[in-house]
């Protein structure tokens, strides 16, 4: 199950992402927003992040105007590695090297066509847990242990 959420600035792209997930038969849970009324992106970044760290969802997708605010908010939840991706290569690397558990997209940055290619790369990539990438992500977790009280 994929957790998905956006603010008003990411609503249209969220609809397109959901359509893509549906067409692939991938289960998702939509944490809002559900209207185009102006809302605060941290609320939706937090909701998706909490669904991922609780284990309710295996990964997440967050979308705002730039992908920045909502990813910064999600990254404040311990255990989250949210990565803003603006091309498919970044999405592939975010999964393979950084074991990112949330993909962040910016509706005002990427068009729907590019966003679908980014999503495809994200869905088709896995973490390379053996060797240097595993130990580097472990170091990220050590930083969390030090600063997340
Ligand atoms: C909302 O106008 C906009 O600030 C938001 O979607 C996002 O881009 C923030 O990082």
């Amino acid at each position: 199950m994929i957790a998905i959420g956006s603010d008003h600035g990411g609503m249209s792209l969220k609809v397109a992402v959901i359509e893509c997930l549906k067409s692939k038969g991938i289960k998702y849970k939509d944490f809002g927003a559900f209207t185009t009324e102006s809302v605060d992106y941290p609320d939706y970044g937090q909701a998706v992040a909490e669904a991922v760290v609780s284990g309710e969802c295996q990964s997440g997708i967050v979308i705002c105007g730039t992908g920045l605010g909502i990813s910064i908010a999600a990254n404040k939840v311990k255990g989250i590695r949210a990565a803003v991706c603006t091309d498919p290569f970044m999405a592939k690397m975010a999964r393979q090297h950084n074991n990112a558990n949330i993909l962040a997209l910016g509706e005002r940055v990427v068009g729907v066509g590019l966003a679908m290619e980014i999503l495809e790369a994200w869905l088709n990539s896995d973490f390379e847990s053996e060797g240097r990438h595993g130990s580097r992500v472990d170091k990220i977790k050590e930083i969390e242990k030090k600063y997340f009280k």
Side-chain angles (χ1 to χ4, degrees):
M1 175 99 77
I2 294 181
I4 185 162
S6 76
D7 70 355
H8 55 288
M11 273 288 293
S12 307
L13 183 54
K14 187 180 74 168
V15 170
V17 168
I18 286 175
E19 282 311 310
C20 179
L21 296 177
K22 274 188 194 168
S23 74
K24 292 176 182 297
I26 297 172
K27 289 197 177 135
Y28 67 91
K29 182 168 177 183
D30 188 353
F31 287 84
F34 299 107
T35 72
T36 51
E37 182 191 335
S38 182
V39 290
D40 300 328
Y41 58 79
D43 298 338
Y44 302 92
Q46 181 180 357
V48 169
E50 288 177 350
V52 173
V53 293
S54 73
E56 180 186 3
C57 295
Q58 286 67 55
S59 62
I61 299 171
V62 292
I63 310 168
C64 65
T66 57
L68 294 172
I70 202 162
S71 64
I72 291 169
N75 276 318
K76 296 299 177 193
V77 175
K78 187 178 182 182
I80 290 301
R81 291 175 300 282
V84 185
C85 298
T86 55
D87 64 48
F89 179 71
M90 290 178 77
K92 185 176 160 189
M93 290 300 110
R95 290 290 307 126
Q96 290 185 349
H97 289 192
N98 313 121
N99 199 14
N101 48 13
I102 292 185
L103 168 66
L105 295 168
E107 179 181 312
R108 298 171 188 162
V109 181
V110 295
V112 177
L114 179 55
M116 294 304 110
E117 290 192 12
I118 294 168
L119 179 60
E120 197 74 35
W122 170 265
L123 294 172
N124 292 325
S125 305
D126 290 313
F127 183 43
E128 294 173 355
S129 57
E130 300 301 317
R132 67 190 194 282
H133 300 308
S135 61
R136 286 168 185 164
V137 172
D138 285 345
K139 285 196 173 186
I140 294 175
K141 291 175 184 167
E142 289 305 315
I143 298 170
E144 277 185 337
K145 272 189 204 156
K146 184 173 176 186
Y147 289 101
F148 280 70
K149 299 294 179 200

